[in-house]
Amino acid sequence: MSQAARSSALARQRFRTAWLFLAPMLAALACVAVWPLLRTFYFSLTDASLSDLGDYGLVGFENFLVEDGGYWYGLLTDPLWWTSVRNTLVFAGASVAIETVLGVVMALVMNAAFVGRTALRAAVLVPWAIPTVVSAQMWAWMMHDQFGVLNAGLMGLGLIGEPIAWTADPDLALFSVILVDSWKTTPFVALLVLAALQMLPRDCYEAAKVDGVHPVRVFFEVTLPLIKPALVVAVIFRLLDALRVFDVVYVMTGNAEATMTMSVYARQQLVDFQDVGYGSAAATLLFLVIGVMTALYLVAVRAEMTRDMR
Amino acid sequence: MAATTRRAAWRTVKRLAFWTLVAAIFFYLLFPFYYAVVTSMKAGPAIFEPDFWPTRFDLDNYVAVFAEQPFGRNILNSLVIACAVVGLSLFLGLTAAYALGRIRFGGRRVLLLAVLSVSMFPQVAVLSGMFELIRSVGLYNSLGGLILSYLIFTLPFTVWVLTSFIRDLPKEIEEAAIMDGATPWVVLTQVFLPLMWPAMVTTGLLAFIVAWNEFLFALTFTLTNEMRTVPVAIALITGGSEFEVPWGRIMAASVVVTVPLIVLVLIFQRRIVSGLTAGAVKG
């Protein structure tokens, strides 16, 4: 056998091996991710019900929008759906903004040299490790309007005059849930930013110090631009996560309108109201929103990469 | 002289501000869990007094959580599920990582991105399809259904982290084994596996935590108290009367399931941080 033929036979064999080794993982993902997603898309075009998933008919886009006798019906005309869209956007925007600011501050502190730095780097993992359900319950108890320690503490400090109904007041509930979510997820941002800070070159700081530049200016003009790539990744990851938020909202405030997010809305339709077709339509829209954002992000990354290459 | 004292005073102020910030961060991070521990050890009406310091060491709530509902069973369920998910994810992730990281073939980058993109799926978007799947294979209200469905969370990052780890291992170690006529399976299990432990510990721990903490699937795909996992049990704990939320028991249950997790995380702190940042930074 010639050298070339042998190496091509070897290459073919390697290729077969590759697919053989990939097959179990791909089969598993096709089974638990691709297939269920496609079924959800399909269900969104049907009138399926949870009580009997085998018996349904195709209804086209009626779950999304339909005209009947001069009136429009469907998901896109449901004010509660639009409330949940608004809540989701407010939740995602506010919690990611808070996490980013707090996360950067924490990372800067963790990056400073001081006694107790190791302890702080361990402590930051505590909220991250706590299950979301547990953190939601812990905070719900702390935010209890009558017996909560948060009201007791704020009143003791004289910051508020009377107890606040953190989760029961419709004007405050979303804000409270945002606070709880940022507590749990700030550590993730802080750790990512800390990793970026640790990779920064020391010499530009030395130079700034010699020149007597104010530390705040050093942060905004040297540090921030250098950690920007890591910060952008952290923000995108958190944003995509926050847009599909479910656990913390559902455990703290259930299906309440004031905090209902797109995931909570879709689950309520699917499970509580057994309306698989309509719920799947809502879930499909949520998927599209997140899919479009992911695609935009990937395009932006690619554009930046090609610009940097030039 | 005046200038130096002023500078010294300024430095003291700055140091004081820094330590206040450090103290505030510690307080923010740790107080909620500390307060859960304090609450869990108060029984009866004492619970309605918001004390900052532990006033009692009553274990009534801990006893009651296990006596009033199948909480021991819930913990066992969560353990079985999390361990099975870790084992399955590591096996599937390892074989896939070998193919993606060590064998050159067209489209592997696209494949890796496709696998990673699954981690962007909103849970609720696969809920109805997954429900149908689990019911049709007879896994509704069983641990098997949850083990299967959790692979959607764990596989993408397991494959990603293990692939980037195995890709960076030196070429020579593999070549020697191939020269000796070792099959790919032998190369993977005898040559690479012993070197992969750091990455396996990291991804295994992350997968364990994800499976241990998951809520929505566990809530939807189980029906009876006996089949519930820990997060669902904690979310649905009810007291003697319907109108009174048993906060003491909820906090006791929360402490029970969180302490082992925190210990685990602190022991493997470095591995977890490197896994978290590798998952994101390399993306």
Side-chain angles (χ1 to χ4, degrees), chain A residues 14 17-18 32 39-40 50 115 125 129 131 133 137 141 147 149 183 233 240 244 247 280, chain B residues 19 28 39 48 99 102 119-121 125 128 130 132 135 148 184 213 234 247 261 269 280:
Chain A
R14 297 278 285 170
T17 308
V32 298
R39 285 303 284 176
T40 299
L50 198 65
V115 187
L125 282 168
V133 169
Q137 293 280 36
W141 170 233
F147 315 116
V149 72
W183 177 77
V233 169
L240 293 176
R244 51 192 172 174
D247 300 13
S280 296
Chain B
W19 283 107
Y28 177 69
T39 305
F48 300 119
R102 304 301 301 193
S119 59
M120 304 297 172
F121 284 20
S128 46
M130 193 83 90
E132 186 197 34
R135 265 237 288 244
L148 182 71
N213 294 358
I234 290 181
W247 288 108
L261 214 56
Q269 190 183 341

mmCIF file of all heavy atoms in Angstrom, chain A residues 14 17-18 32 39-40 50 115 125 129 131 133 137 141 147 149 183 233 240 244 247 280, chain B residues 19 28 39 48 99 102 119-121 125 128 130 132 135 148 184 213 234 247 261 269 280:
data_model
loop_
_atom_site.group_PDB
_atom_site.id
_atom_site.type_symbol
_atom_site.label_atom_id
_atom_site.label_comp_id
_atom_site.label_asym_id
_atom_site.label_seq_id
_atom_site.Cartn_x
_atom_site.Cartn_y
_atom_site.Cartn_z
ATOM 1 N N ARG A 14 -10.123 7.394 11.408
ATOM 2 C CA ARG A 14 -10.230 8.398 12.480
ATOM 3 C C ARG A 14 -11.584 9.083 12.411
ATOM 4 O O ARG A 14 -12.212 9.362 13.428
ATOM 5 C CB ARG A 14 -9.122 9.456 12.335
ATOM 6 C CG ARG A 14 -7.717 8.920 12.488
ATOM 7 C CD ARG A 14 -7.307 8.784 13.925
ATOM 8 N NE ARG A 14 -6.998 10.069 14.557
ATOM 9 C CZ ARG A 14 -6.811 10.198 15.867
ATOM 10 N NH1 ARG A 14 -6.891 9.147 16.649
ATOM 11 N NH2 ARG A 14 -6.536 11.364 16.382
ATOM 12 N N THR A 17 -14.190 6.855 13.773
ATOM 13 C CA THR A 17 -14.063 6.851 15.239
ATOM 14 C C THR A 17 -14.707 8.099 15.837
ATOM 15 O O THR A 17 -15.432 8.039 16.823
ATOM 16 C CB THR A 17 -12.578 6.817 15.636
ATOM 17 O OG1 THR A 17 -11.962 5.747 14.945
ATOM 18 C CG2 THR A 17 -12.422 6.640 17.122
ATOM 19 N N ALA A 18 -14.436 9.246 15.197
ATOM 20 C CA ALA A 18 -14.962 10.510 15.721
ATOM 21 C C ALA A 18 -16.477 10.449 15.840
ATOM 22 O O ALA A 18 -17.053 10.770 16.878
ATOM 23 C CB ALA A 18 -14.542 11.666 14.823
ATOM 24 N N VAL A 32 -33.186 15.072 24.284
ATOM 25 C CA VAL A 32 -33.676 15.935 25.378
ATOM 26 C C VAL A 32 -33.711 17.415 25.018
ATOM 27 O O VAL A 32 -34.258 18.208 25.775
ATOM 28 C CB VAL A 32 -32.835 15.773 26.673
ATOM 29 C CG1 VAL A 32 -32.917 14.356 27.185
ATOM 30 C CG2 VAL A 32 -31.399 16.207 26.466
ATOM 31 N N ARG A 39 -41.081 19.849 19.147
ATOM 32 C CA ARG A 39 -42.444 19.513 19.556
ATOM 33 C C ARG A 39 -43.153 20.750 20.105
ATOM 34 O O ARG A 39 -44.340 20.967 19.851
ATOM 35 C CB ARG A 39 -42.442 18.400 20.614
ATOM 36 C CG ARG A 39 -42.144 17.036 20.081
ATOM 37 C CD ARG A 39 -43.083 16.609 19.014
ATOM 38 N NE ARG A 39 -44.400 16.193 19.512
ATOM 39 C CZ ARG A 39 -45.412 15.850 18.727
ATOM 40 N NH1 ARG A 39 -45.278 15.879 17.430
ATOM 41 N NH2 ARG A 39 -46.563 15.475 19.248
ATOM 42 N N THR A 40 -42.431 21.548 20.882
ATOM 43 C CA THR A 40 -43.035 22.766 21.425
ATOM 44 C C THR A 40 -43.452 23.707 20.291
ATOM 45 O O THR A 40 -44.554 24.260 20.300
ATOM 46 C CB THR A 40 -42.056 23.471 22.368
ATOM 47 O OG1 THR A 40 -41.754 22.593 23.459
ATOM 48 C CG2 THR A 40 -42.640 24.756 22.921
ATOM 49 N N LEU A 50 -53.130 19.429 28.085
ATOM 50 C CA LEU A 50 -52.222 18.605 28.879
ATOM 51 C C LEU A 50 -52.889 17.311 29.329
ATOM 52 O O LEU A 50 -52.228 16.296 29.498
ATOM 53 C CB LEU A 50 -51.736 19.405 30.097
ATOM 54 C CG LEU A 50 -50.492 18.877 30.791
ATOM 55 C CD1 LEU A 50 -49.282 18.960 29.885
ATOM 56 C CD2 LEU A 50 -50.222 19.656 32.075
ATOM 57 N N VAL A 115 -5.574 41.568 54.333
ATOM 58 C CA VAL A 115 -5.828 40.389 55.156
ATOM 59 C C VAL A 115 -7.308 40.055 55.047
ATOM 60 O O VAL A 115 -8.148 40.929 55.206
ATOM 61 C CB VAL A 115 -5.466 40.677 56.631
ATOM 62 C CG1 VAL A 115 -5.576 39.398 57.449
ATOM 63 C CG2 VAL A 115 -4.095 41.281 56.724
ATOM 64 N N LEU A 125 -18.675 32.785 47.142
ATOM 65 C CA LEU A 125 -19.254 31.587 46.534
ATOM 66 C C LEU A 125 -20.526 31.124 47.246
ATOM 67 O O LEU A 125 -21.268 30.294 46.718
ATOM 68 C CB LEU A 125 -18.229 30.446 46.547
ATOM 69 C CG LEU A 125 -17.155 30.540 45.464
ATOM 70 C CD1 LEU A 125 -16.045 29.543 45.732
ATOM 71 C CD2 LEU A 125 -17.752 30.296 44.094
ATOM 72 N N ALA A 129 -23.702 29.234 45.511
ATOM 73 C CA ALA A 129 -23.945 27.808 45.734
ATOM 74 C C ALA A 129 -25.346 27.526 46.263
ATOM 75 O O ALA A 129 -25.855 26.433 46.087
ATOM 76 C CB ALA A 129 -22.907 27.248 46.702
ATOM 77 N N PRO A 131 -29.110 26.998 46.526
ATOM 78 C CA PRO A 131 -30.147 26.780 45.511
ATOM 79 C C PRO A 131 -31.072 27.985 45.403
ATOM 80 O O PRO A 131 -31.377 28.633 46.415
ATOM 81 C CB PRO A 131 -30.909 25.565 46.044
ATOM 82 C CG PRO A 131 -29.972 24.867 46.955
ATOM 83 C CD PRO A 131 -29.086 25.925 47.535
ATOM 84 N N VAL A 133 -34.190 28.201 44.931
ATOM 85 C CA VAL A 133 -35.409 28.059 45.722
ATOM 86 C C VAL A 133 -35.134 28.443 47.176
ATOM 87 O O VAL A 133 -35.929 29.151 47.806
ATOM 88 C CB VAL A 133 -35.935 26.612 45.625
ATOM 89 C CG1 VAL A 133 -37.040 26.380 46.637
ATOM 90 C CG2 VAL A 133 -36.419 26.312 44.230
ATOM 91 N N GLN A 137 -36.721 31.568 49.321
ATOM 92 C CA GLN A 137 -37.435 31.393 50.590
ATOM 93 C C GLN A 137 -36.789 32.200 51.713
ATOM 94 O O GLN A 137 -37.463 32.824 52.523
ATOM 95 C CB GLN A 137 -37.463 29.900 50.986
ATOM 96 C CG GLN A 137 -38.295 29.025 50.071
ATOM 97 C CD GLN A 137 -39.783 29.107 50.380
ATOM 98 O OE1 GLN A 137 -40.282 30.160 50.745
ATOM 99 N NE2 GLN A 137 -40.494 28.005 50.223
ATOM 100 N N TRP A 141 -38.651 35.316 53.672
ATOM 101 C CA TRP A 141 -38.786 35.391 55.123
ATOM 102 C C TRP A 141 -38.190 36.701 55.654
ATOM 103 O O TRP A 141 -38.773 37.383 56.492
ATOM 104 C CB TRP A 141 -38.134 34.173 55.756
ATOM 105 C CG TRP A 141 -37.982 34.215 57.243
ATOM 106 C CD1 TRP A 141 -36.826 34.023 57.942
ATOM 107 C CD2 TRP A 141 -39.003 34.445 58.219
ATOM 108 N NE1 TRP A 141 -37.064 34.134 59.281
ATOM 109 C CE2 TRP A 141 -38.399 34.391 59.486
ATOM 110 C CE3 TRP A 141 -40.376 34.706 58.140
ATOM 111 C CZ2 TRP A 141 -39.103 34.587 60.664
ATOM 112 C CZ3 TRP A 141 -41.086 34.895 59.325
ATOM 113 C CH2 TRP A 141 -40.451 34.833 60.567
ATOM 114 N N PHE A 147 -42.987 40.244 60.251
ATOM 115 C CA PHE A 147 -41.956 39.700 61.135
ATOM 116 C C PHE A 147 -40.572 39.703 60.490
ATOM 117 O O PHE A 147 -39.644 39.101 61.012
ATOM 118 C CB PHE A 147 -42.316 38.264 61.535
ATOM 119 C CG PHE A 147 -43.755 38.113 61.935
ATOM 120 C CD1 PHE A 147 -44.614 37.315 61.197
ATOM 121 C CD2 PHE A 147 -44.244 38.797 63.041
ATOM 122 C CE1 PHE A 147 -45.945 37.191 61.559
ATOM 123 C CE2 PHE A 147 -45.569 38.672 63.412
ATOM 124 C CZ PHE A 147 -46.423 37.867 62.663
ATOM 125 N N VAL A 149 -36.867 40.564 59.115
ATOM 126 C CA VAL A 149 -35.728 41.243 59.717
ATOM 127 C C VAL A 149 -35.344 42.485 58.912
ATOM 128 O O VAL A 149 -34.759 43.426 59.440
ATOM 129 C CB VAL A 149 -34.543 40.266 59.848
ATOM 130 C CG1 VAL A 149 -33.929 39.970 58.493
ATOM 131 C CG2 VAL A 149 -33.493 40.791 60.803
ATOM 132 N N TRP A 183 -28.675 39.413 44.402
ATOM 133 C CA TRP A 183 -27.873 38.853 45.498
ATOM 134 C C TRP A 183 -27.263 37.516 45.082
ATOM 135 O O TRP A 183 -26.093 37.256 45.310
ATOM 136 C CB TRP A 183 -28.739 38.661 46.749
ATOM 137 C CG TRP A 183 -27.995 38.034 47.876
ATOM 138 C CD1 TRP A 183 -27.101 38.649 48.697
ATOM 139 C CD2 TRP A 183 -28.053 36.673 48.310
ATOM 140 N NE1 TRP A 183 -26.602 37.749 49.611
ATOM 141 C CE2 TRP A 183 -27.171 36.529 49.396
ATOM 142 C CE3 TRP A 183 -28.767 35.550 47.871
ATOM 143 C CZ2 TRP A 183 -26.979 35.323 50.066
ATOM 144 C CZ3 TRP A 183 -28.587 34.354 48.538
ATOM 145 C CH2 TRP A 183 -27.699 34.245 49.616
ATOM 146 N N VAL A 233 -18.940 39.658 28.121
ATOM 147 C CA VAL A 233 -19.325 38.243 28.167
ATOM 148 C C VAL A 233 -20.212 37.983 29.377
ATOM 149 O O VAL A 233 -21.267 37.349 29.277
ATOM 150 C CB VAL A 233 -18.068 37.342 28.210
ATOM 151 C CG1 VAL A 233 -18.456 35.901 28.521
ATOM 152 C CG2 VAL A 233 -17.324 37.410 26.895
ATOM 153 N N LEU A 240 -29.038 36.718 29.029
ATOM 154 C CA LEU A 240 -29.749 35.581 28.446
ATOM 155 C C LEU A 240 -30.387 34.739 29.544
ATOM 156 O O LEU A 240 -31.460 34.166 29.367
ATOM 157 C CB LEU A 240 -28.788 34.726 27.613
ATOM 158 C CG LEU A 240 -28.267 35.404 26.354
ATOM 159 C CD1 LEU A 240 -27.245 34.528 25.656
ATOM 160 C CD2 LEU A 240 -29.414 35.718 25.405
ATOM 161 N N ARG A 244 -35.008 34.421 30.854
ATOM 162 C CA ARG A 244 -35.836 33.214 31.012
ATOM 163 C C ARG A 244 -36.098 32.915 32.478
ATOM 164 O O ARG A 244 -36.433 31.790 32.822
ATOM 165 C CB ARG A 244 -35.162 32.035 30.312
ATOM 166 C CG ARG A 244 -33.723 31.870 30.707
ATOM 167 C CD ARG A 244 -32.987 30.909 29.810
ATOM 168 N NE ARG A 244 -31.571 30.962 30.133
ATOM 169 C CZ ARG A 244 -30.666 30.165 29.623
ATOM 170 N NH1 ARG A 244 -31.005 29.262 28.752
ATOM 171 N NH2 ARG A 244 -29.425 30.273 29.972
ATOM 172 N N ASP A 247 -37.540 30.421 38.528
ATOM 173 C CA ASP A 247 -37.535 29.930 39.920
ATOM 174 C C ASP A 247 -37.792 31.019 40.951
ATOM 175 O O ASP A 247 -38.711 30.918 41.760
ATOM 176 C CB ASP A 247 -36.180 29.285 40.270
ATOM 177 C CG ASP A 247 -35.850 28.112 39.384
ATOM 178 O OD1 ASP A 247 -36.536 27.951 38.353
ATOM 179 O OD2 ASP A 247 -34.917 27.379 39.706
ATOM 180 N N SER A 280 -47.423 26.745 24.637
ATOM 181 C CA SER A 280 -46.294 26.510 23.741
ATOM 182 C C SER A 280 -46.056 27.720 22.842
ATOM 183 O O SER A 280 -44.917 28.026 22.486
ATOM 184 C CB SER A 280 -46.542 25.270 22.881
ATOM 185 O OG SER A 280 -46.625 24.137 23.699
ATOM 186 N N TRP B 19 -12.181 49.354 54.772
ATOM 187 C CA TRP B 19 -12.612 48.262 55.655
ATOM 188 C C TRP B 19 -14.115 48.279 55.869
ATOM 189 O O TRP B 19 -14.729 47.217 56.041
ATOM 190 C CB TRP B 19 -11.862 48.321 56.986
ATOM 191 C CG TRP B 19 -10.464 47.796 56.816
ATOM 192 C CD1 TRP B 19 -9.325 48.505 56.799
ATOM 193 C CD2 TRP B 19 -10.102 46.430 56.591
ATOM 194 N NE1 TRP B 19 -8.244 47.676 56.569
ATOM 195 C CE2 TRP B 19 -8.700 46.392 56.442
ATOM 196 C CE3 TRP B 19 -10.814 45.241 56.491
ATOM 197 C CZ2 TRP B 19 -7.991 45.221 56.206
ATOM 198 C CZ3 TRP B 19 -10.118 44.059 56.253
ATOM 199 C CH2 TRP B 19 -8.726 44.060 56.114
ATOM 200 N N TYR B 28 -23.390 41.522 53.397
ATOM 201 C CA TYR B 28 -24.328 41.314 52.290
ATOM 202 C C TYR B 28 -24.314 39.865 51.822
ATOM 203 O O TYR B 28 -25.350 39.257 51.592
ATOM 204 C CB TYR B 28 -23.936 42.266 51.163
ATOM 205 C CG TYR B 28 -24.742 42.150 49.890
ATOM 206 C CD1 TYR B 28 -26.078 42.538 49.824
ATOM 207 C CD2 TYR B 28 -24.151 41.695 48.713
ATOM 208 C CE1 TYR B 28 -26.794 42.453 48.656
ATOM 209 C CE2 TYR B 28 -24.865 41.610 47.537
ATOM 210 C CZ TYR B 28 -26.186 41.992 47.508
ATOM 211 O OH TYR B 28 -26.898 41.907 46.336
ATOM 212 N N THR B 39 -33.028 31.597 62.396
ATOM 213 C CA THR B 39 -34.476 31.350 62.406
ATOM 214 C C THR B 39 -34.783 29.867 62.604
ATOM 215 O O THR B 39 -35.713 29.507 63.320
ATOM 216 C CB THR B 39 -35.099 31.800 61.072
ATOM 217 O OG1 THR B 39 -34.761 33.160 60.857
ATOM 218 C CG2 THR B 39 -36.607 31.652 61.104
ATOM 219 N N PHE B 48 -41.302 34.863 65.632
ATOM 220 C CA PHE B 48 -41.830 36.136 65.140
ATOM 221 C C PHE B 48 -41.109 37.348 65.714
ATOM 222 O O PHE B 48 -41.499 38.476 65.477
ATOM 223 C CB PHE B 48 -43.334 36.207 65.402
ATOM 224 C CG PHE B 48 -44.074 35.103 64.711
ATOM 225 C CD1 PHE B 48 -44.814 34.175 65.419
ATOM 226 C CD2 PHE B 48 -43.986 34.967 63.330
ATOM 227 C CE1 PHE B 48 -45.473 33.141 64.773
ATOM 228 C CE2 PHE B 48 -44.641 33.931 62.682
ATOM 229 C CZ PHE B 48 -45.384 33.015 63.405
ATOM 230 N N ALA B 99 -13.591 13.005 20.615
ATOM 231 C CA ALA B 99 -13.812 13.187 19.181
ATOM 232 C C ALA B 99 -13.609 14.654 18.778
ATOM 233 O O ALA B 99 -12.952 14.952 17.779
ATOM 234 C CB ALA B 99 -15.218 12.729 18.813
ATOM 235 N N ARG B 102 -9.591 15.780 19.843
ATOM 236 C CA ARG B 102 -8.378 15.086 19.412
ATOM 237 C C ARG B 102 -8.417 14.629 17.966
ATOM 238 O O ARG B 102 -7.398 14.197 17.435
ATOM 239 C CB ARG B 102 -8.118 13.844 20.295
ATOM 240 C CG ARG B 102 -8.012 14.115 21.766
ATOM 241 C CD ARG B 102 -6.930 15.070 22.168
ATOM 242 N NE ARG B 102 -5.587 14.690 21.790
ATOM 243 C CZ ARG B 102 -4.490 15.276 22.276
ATOM 244 N NH1 ARG B 102 -4.594 16.234 23.185
ATOM 245 N NH2 ARG B 102 -3.299 14.919 21.863
ATOM 246 N N SER B 119 -27.357 25.484 25.561
ATOM 247 C CA SER B 119 -27.415 26.084 26.901
ATOM 248 C C SER B 119 -28.158 27.419 26.897
ATOM 249 O O SER B 119 -28.427 27.973 27.946
ATOM 250 C CB SER B 119 -26.008 26.257 27.473
ATOM 251 O OG SER B 119 -25.250 27.076 26.635
ATOM 252 N N MET B 120 -28.480 27.942 25.713
ATOM 253 C CA MET B 120 -29.272 29.171 25.637
ATOM 254 C C MET B 120 -30.776 28.884 25.661
ATOM 255 O O MET B 120 -31.572 29.802 25.807
ATOM 256 C CB MET B 120 -28.953 29.931 24.337
ATOM 257 C CG MET B 120 -27.509 30.271 24.139
ATOM 258 S SD MET B 120 -26.938 31.386 25.416
ATOM 259 C CE MET B 120 -25.188 31.414 25.081
ATOM 260 N N PHE B 121 -31.165 27.639 25.484
ATOM 261 C CA PHE B 121 -32.589 27.301 25.438
ATOM 262 C C PHE B 121 -33.267 27.715 26.740
ATOM 263 O O PHE B 121 -32.801 27.365 27.815
ATOM 264 C CB PHE B 121 -32.791 25.791 25.284
ATOM 265 C CG PHE B 121 -32.533 25.244 23.913
ATOM 266 C CD1 PHE B 121 -31.769 25.932 22.995
ATOM 267 C CD2 PHE B 121 -33.054 24.021 23.542
ATOM 268 C CE1 PHE B 121 -31.521 25.413 21.732
ATOM 269 C CE2 PHE B 121 -32.815 23.492 22.290
ATOM 270 C CZ PHE B 121 -32.045 24.191 21.386
ATOM 271 N N ALA B 125 -39.255 26.514 27.083
ATOM 272 C CA ALA B 125 -39.436 26.254 25.653
ATOM 273 C C ALA B 125 -39.366 24.767 25.325
ATOM 274 O O ALA B 125 -39.776 24.358 24.249
ATOM 275 C CB ALA B 125 -38.399 27.017 24.834
ATOM 276 N N SER B 128 -43.179 21.509 27.150
ATOM 277 C CA SER B 128 -44.274 20.662 26.669
ATOM 278 C C SER B 128 -43.738 19.455 25.901
ATOM 279 O O SER B 128 -44.235 18.338 26.070
ATOM 280 C CB SER B 128 -45.260 21.468 25.817
ATOM 281 O OG SER B 128 -44.595 22.279 24.895
ATOM 282 N N MET B 130 -40.845 18.006 26.317
ATOM 283 C CA MET B 130 -40.203 17.113 27.284
ATOM 284 C C MET B 130 -41.265 16.345 28.075
ATOM 285 O O MET B 130 -41.110 15.156 28.342
ATOM 286 C CB MET B 130 -39.332 17.925 28.241
ATOM 287 C CG MET B 130 -38.383 17.091 29.064
ATOM 288 S SD MET B 130 -36.891 16.702 28.166
ATOM 289 C CE MET B 130 -35.866 18.084 28.606
ATOM 290 N N GLU B 132 -44.217 15.482 27.072
ATOM 291 C CA GLU B 132 -44.755 14.446 26.195
ATOM 292 C C GLU B 132 -43.785 13.269 26.106
ATOM 293 O O GLU B 132 -44.180 12.106 26.226
ATOM 294 C CB GLU B 132 -44.988 15.040 24.799
ATOM 295 C CG GLU B 132 -45.678 14.099 23.858
ATOM 296 C CD GLU B 132 -45.525 14.540 22.408
ATOM 297 O OE1 GLU B 132 -44.467 15.108 22.059
ATOM 298 O OE2 GLU B 132 -46.444 14.323 21.643
ATOM 299 N N ARG B 135 -43.660 11.286 29.412
ATOM 300 C CA ARG B 135 -44.867 10.482 29.600
ATOM 301 C C ARG B 135 -44.901 9.294 28.651
ATOM 302 O O ARG B 135 -45.304 8.200 29.025
ATOM 303 C CB ARG B 135 -46.095 11.361 29.385
ATOM 304 C CG ARG B 135 -46.624 11.915 30.683
ATOM 305 C CD ARG B 135 -48.072 11.537 30.913
ATOM 306 N NE ARG B 135 -48.930 12.273 30.008
ATOM 307 C CZ ARG B 135 -49.847 13.159 30.415
ATOM 308 N NH1 ARG B 135 -49.990 13.410 31.688
ATOM 309 N NH2 ARG B 135 -50.588 13.770 29.550
ATOM 310 N N LEU B 148 -32.978 12.048 32.922
ATOM 311 C CA LEU B 148 -32.933 12.246 31.470
ATOM 312 C C LEU B 148 -33.018 13.731 31.118
ATOM 313 O O LEU B 148 -32.202 14.257 30.360
ATOM 314 C CB LEU B 148 -34.082 11.467 30.827
ATOM 315 C CG LEU B 148 -34.169 11.519 29.315
ATOM 316 C CD1 LEU B 148 -33.032 10.717 28.710
ATOM 317 C CD2 LEU B 148 -35.516 10.967 28.827
ATOM 318 N N PRO B 184 -8.910 3.524 19.927
ATOM 319 C CA PRO B 184 -9.290 4.839 20.482
ATOM 320 C C PRO B 184 -9.875 4.727 21.889
ATOM 321 O O PRO B 184 -9.616 5.567 22.744
ATOM 322 C CB PRO B 184 -10.342 5.337 19.491
ATOM 323 C CG PRO B 184 -10.027 4.645 18.222
ATOM 324 C CD PRO B 184 -9.471 3.308 18.593
ATOM 325 N N ASN B 213 -30.036 21.693 42.320
ATOM 326 C CA ASN B 213 -30.794 22.934 42.482
ATOM 327 C C ASN B 213 -31.991 23.076 41.546
ATOM 328 O O ASN B 213 -32.791 23.979 41.716
ATOM 329 C CB ASN B 213 -29.878 24.147 42.252
ATOM 330 C CG ASN B 213 -28.806 24.256 43.310
ATOM 331 O OD1 ASN B 213 -28.768 23.454 44.241
ATOM 332 N ND2 ASN B 213 -27.933 25.237 43.175
ATOM 333 N N ILE B 234 -38.943 22.021 49.350
ATOM 334 C CA ILE B 234 -38.785 23.264 50.122
ATOM 335 C C ILE B 234 -39.763 24.329 49.644
ATOM 336 O O ILE B 234 -40.314 25.089 50.441
ATOM 337 C CB ILE B 234 -37.333 23.759 50.045
ATOM 338 C CG1 ILE B 234 -36.445 22.806 50.835
ATOM 339 C CG2 ILE B 234 -37.213 25.178 50.578
ATOM 340 C CD1 ILE B 234 -34.997 23.191 50.856
ATOM 341 N N TRP B 247 -42.337 28.977 58.633
ATOM 342 C CA TRP B 247 -41.026 29.520 58.269
ATOM 343 C C TRP B 247 -39.883 28.788 58.952
ATOM 344 O O TRP B 247 -38.828 28.577 58.352
ATOM 345 C CB TRP B 247 -40.967 31.017 58.602
ATOM 346 C CG TRP B 247 -41.801 31.825 57.669
ATOM 347 C CD1 TRP B 247 -42.977 32.444 57.961
ATOM 348 C CD2 TRP B 247 -41.556 32.079 56.283
ATOM 349 N NE1 TRP B 247 -43.480 33.063 56.846
ATOM 350 C CE2 TRP B 247 -42.625 32.861 55.804
ATOM 351 C CE3 TRP B 247 -40.543 31.705 55.394
ATOM 352 C CZ2 TRP B 247 -42.702 33.281 54.483
ATOM 353 C CZ3 TRP B 247 -40.619 32.133 54.081
ATOM 354 C CH2 TRP B 247 -41.687 32.909 53.630
ATOM 355 N N LEU B 261 -23.714 21.578 50.501
ATOM 356 C CA LEU B 261 -23.350 22.210 49.236
ATOM 357 C C LEU B 261 -22.253 23.254 49.450
ATOM 358 O O LEU B 261 -21.268 23.328 48.704
ATOM 359 C CB LEU B 261 -24.603 22.870 48.666
ATOM 360 C CG LEU B 261 -24.758 22.894 47.156
ATOM 361 C CD1 LEU B 261 -24.671 21.491 46.614
ATOM 362 C CD2 LEU B 261 -26.095 23.506 46.787
ATOM 363 N N GLN B 269 -13.137 25.020 45.966
ATOM 364 C CA GLN B 269 -13.247 26.411 45.551
ATOM 365 C C GLN B 269 -12.481 26.731 44.258
ATOM 366 O O GLN B 269 -13.029 27.262 43.305
ATOM 367 C CB GLN B 269 -12.723 27.273 46.686
ATOM 368 C CG GLN B 269 -12.970 28.749 46.522
ATOM 369 C CD GLN B 269 -12.331 29.500 47.664
ATOM 370 O OE1 GLN B 269 -12.045 28.904 48.702
ATOM 371 N NE2 GLN B 269 -12.082 30.769 47.476
ATOM 372 N N ALA B 280 -17.144 30.596 30.650
ATOM 373 C CA ALA B 280 -17.593 31.877 30.115
ATOM 374 C C ALA B 280 -16.507 32.582 29.305
ATOM 375 O O ALA B 280 -16.749 33.045 28.203
ATOM 376 C CB ALA B 280 -18.049 32.774 31.256
#
